Amino acid sequence: MSPTSTFVDARRELPSLTGAVEKRVLLWLAARTPAWINSDHLTALGLLAMLAAGAAYALAGAQPAWLLAVNALLAVNWLGDSLDGTLARYRGRSRPRYGFYVDHMADMVGALGLLGGLALSGFMSPAVAVAVLVAYYLLNLHIYLATHTQGVFRIAYARLGGTELRILLALGNLVLFFVPAVAVLGRSVLLFDAAGVLAAAGLILTTALAVARTTRALYRLERLD
């Protein structure tokens, strides 16, 4: 596979819990999106919504009602981040390399903004926020390298993709509104610290298994005599 054809030929795989329904919803939305809105507008909308969600987290430290704004902004982020590629393909305006690069750079910046806001909020300690961010970046690094080397863009692992993660985070925010801390081994721990440690561990384990599987597949593909 040549470098110039990597993303044109990459097969998208979204084996997530909501994948089938999400695809139908996005196609319905793409068919009804005004002509003056293009995929770049949606990518920008998704990024701005995620950065705004991070700011809302920071404000929620003093006023927990801002957690409701975080949930609304996560929904806006889903719209922009998920519809941009669908709209481009629906209109026959796909730019695979440009879209892949810009969309996922926006995702990385958005994740930094979101977790930075959480670290500032007091709902999650900075160390845990950094651990979650690094684990998230490692998984995405694997995804992008596997896309380039295998021609398969796998968007979900363990039936969880971006949409499922947004839903889990939104549900967590609702719980956080009422229960900011939990007891762990007889000690009071921030709810999102406990959840963040589990999330980071889960992301690292998922990455390790995926890296092992991909390494084995590539070794077999290019086995030397």
Side-chain angles (χ1 to χ4, degrees):
M1 184 181 299
S2 68
T4 59
S5 65
T6 299
F7 300 119
V8 175
D9 297 336
R11 185 177 74 255
R12 293 170 59 88
E13 289 187 357
L14 182 55
S16 66
L17 294 172
T18 62
V21 173
E22 185 177 9
K23 183 177 180 180
R24 291 195 294 270
V25 170
L26 289 172
L27 287 172
W28 186 90
L29 290 171
R32 290 158 178 81
T33 300
W36 61 269
I37 296 177
N38 63 39
S39 56
D40 284 342
H41 296 142
L42 292 169
T43 301
L45 175 66
L47 173 58
L48 291 174
M50 190 61 91
L51 295 177
Y57 264 135
L59 293 170
Q63 293 289 336
W66 279 100
L67 291 171
L68 302 178
V70 174
N71 283 1
L73 288 164
L74 288 174
V76 176
N77 169 260
W78 170 84
L79 178 66
D81 186 47
S82 301
L83 185 57
D84 55 0
T86 300
L87 183 66
R89 289 186 292 273
Y90 179 81
R91 292 178 175 174
R93 304 282 293 177
S94 293
R95 292 173 289 177
R97 286 173 285 280
Y98 169 84
F100 188 94
Y101 178 79
V102 171
D103 187 45
H104 295 100
M105 280 303 300
D107 289 344
M108 298 301 99
V109 174
L112 176 61
L114 185 75
L115 285 160
L118 255 178
L120 292 173
S121 71
F123 290 126
M124 178 181 282
S125 64
V128 174
V130 169
V132 175
L133 183 66
V134 170
Y136 175 77
Y137 279 177
L138 285 173
L139 177 59
N140 280 275
L141 179 62
H142 158 74
I143 290 172
Y144 305 149
L145 290 174
T147 300
H148 180 78
T149 55
Q150 293 185 299
V152 177
F153 182 32
R154 186 177 178 87
I155 310 173
Y157 288 84
R159 304 298 302 278
L160 298 178
T163 299
E164 288 77 14
L165 293 179
R166 290 184 187 91
I167 292 171
L168 289 173
L169 183 56
L171 292 174
N173 288 334
L174 295 177
V175 176
L176 180 64
F177 189 86
F178 298 101
V179 187
V182 294
V184 178
L185 299 177
R187 298 180 57 185
S188 180
V189 177
L190 291 172
L191 173 67
F192 267 29
D193 270 358
V197 169
L198 292 175
L203 288 169
I204 290 172
L205 176 60
T206 298
T207 302
L209 293 174
V211 167
R213 186 163 50 245
T214 301
T215 301
R216 183 169 60 249
L218 292 174
Y219 177 83
R220 291 173 176 172
L221 181 66
E222 298 184 334
R223 185 188 295 273
L224 296 175
D225 295 333

